[in-house]
């Protein structure tokens, strides 16, 4: 059986996973010095994301778009240039994935455009960034948008469909109410009615 998650539960799970990931990266910098992200930036990001997660857990719904913008700015600013020039920089998919769960189609497209504009301002357009990185990222984001469309369509169709119990009652109700009336029209009752009237009784004796 597929587990059913509400929008709030899915958003909270994504925020908790983001906080845990940043905490693991920060813990890695305590033992190793070869991590590409600076430790000070990881400390600030871990505290900020954890604070946003706690605020959303306290039912502040405006934290969702704030979290999308914060994750987009984090990837655009914190991603080192040597990671961007690789054929596929998987980290640039993090903002649209968060937007898939926390927002909608506009959030997915907007966060993708924002993070690539920031990276293009920081890194030279030459090399592998323009031909491969943007195209691969565009393909992945297209899949996210299509997946979100399927989710929204399934949700709307489920909301518009009436409950099965109500439809079953409406279909079976009239037949049950009319069954006692049809059972009264039997041959024995008809003979009794005609015999009491007189004329049908004489015809039957002849």
């Amino acid at each position: 059986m597929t587990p059913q998650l509400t929008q709030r539960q899915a958003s909270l799970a994504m925020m908790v996973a983001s906080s845990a990931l940043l905490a693991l990266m920060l813990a890695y910098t305590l033992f190793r010095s070869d991590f590409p992200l600076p430790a000070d930036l990881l400390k600030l990001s871990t505290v900020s994301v954890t604070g946003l997660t706690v605020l959303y857990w306290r039912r502040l719904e405006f934290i969702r778009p704030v979290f999308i913008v914060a994750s987009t700015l984090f990837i655009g600013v914190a991603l080192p240039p040597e990671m961007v020039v690789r054929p596929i920089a998987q980290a640039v998919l993090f903002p649209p994935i968060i937007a898939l769960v926390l927002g909608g189609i506009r959030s997915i497209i907007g966060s993708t455009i924002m993070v690539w504009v920031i990276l293009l301002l920081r890194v030279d357009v030459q090399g592998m960034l323009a031909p491969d990185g943007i195209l691969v990222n565009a393909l992945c984001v297209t899949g996210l948008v299509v997946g979100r469309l399927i989710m929204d369509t399934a949700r709307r169709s489920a909301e518009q469909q009436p409950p099965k119990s109500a439809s079953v009652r409406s279909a079976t109700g009239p037949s049950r109410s009319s069954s006692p009336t049809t059972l009264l029209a039997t041959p024995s009752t008809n003979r009794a009615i005609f015999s009491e009237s007189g004329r049908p009784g004489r015809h039957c004796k002849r």
Side-chain angles (χ1 to χ4, degrees):
M1 183 178 179
T2 304
Q4 296 180 356
L5 294 177
T6 62
Q7 178 70 51
R8 174 175 172 77
Q9 291 173 343
S11 302
L12 189 60
M14 182 63 68
M15 293 181 183
V16 171
S18 302
S19 302
L21 179 61
L22 288 173
L24 290 176
M25 291 190 294
L26 181 60
Y28 182 86
T29 59
L30 299 177
F31 302 96
R32 301 286 298 271
S33 59
D34 56 347
F35 196 75
L37 300 181
D40 295 335
L41 180 60
L42 286 176
K43 291 178 182 178
L44 178 62
S45 302
T46 303
V47 173
S48 301
V49 171
T50 304
L52 291 176
T53 304
V54 173
L55 291 176
Y56 186 73
W57 178 68
R58 300 289 295 178
R59 299 188 179 278
L60 297 178
E61 295 297 329
F62 70 91
I63 296 298
R64 285 195 299 168
V66 174
F67 195 89
I68 295 174
V69 174
S71 63
T72 302
L73 295 176
F74 172 78
I75 295 299
V77 174
L79 196 63
E82 58 270 16
M83 294 180 61
V84 178
V85 297
R86 295 176 184 177
I88 299 178
Q90 289 87 355
V92 298
L93 292 175
F94 188 63
I97 289 175
I98 291 181
L100 171 67
V101 179
L102 274 65
I105 297 176
R106 295 181 179 178
S107 300
I108 296 173
I109 299 175
S111 62
T112 304
I113 295 175
M114 185 184 299
V115 70
W116 275 107
V117 168
I118 296 175
L119 293 176
L120 288 175
L121 293 176
R122 297 180 58 220
V123 184
D124 189 6
V125 185
Q126 303 296 327
M128 300 300 293
L129 177 61
D132 290 340
I134 295 179
L135 293 178
V136 172
N137 186 258
L139 179 62
C140 296
V141 172
T142 301
L144 295 178
V145 171
V146 173
R148 181 69 193 195
L149 282 174
I150 296 174
M151 292 168 53
D152 293 341
T153 302
R155 178 178 55 83
R156 283 193 296 265
S157 62
E159 292 175 352
Q160 294 174 359
Q161 185 177 2
K164 292 183 178 180
S165 58
S167 60
V168 170
R169 292 194 193 100
S170 61
T172 57
S175 61
R176 291 181 179 178
S177 61
S178 60
S179 58
T181 305
T182 56
L183 291 175
L184 290 175
T186 58
S188 60
T189 54
N190 290 336
R191 293 194 194 97
I193 294 172
F194 283 125
S195 61
E196 290 177 0
S197 61
R199 292 181 182 178
R202 296 189 186 95
H203 290 293
C204 292
K205 291 180 179 179
R206 292 179 184 178

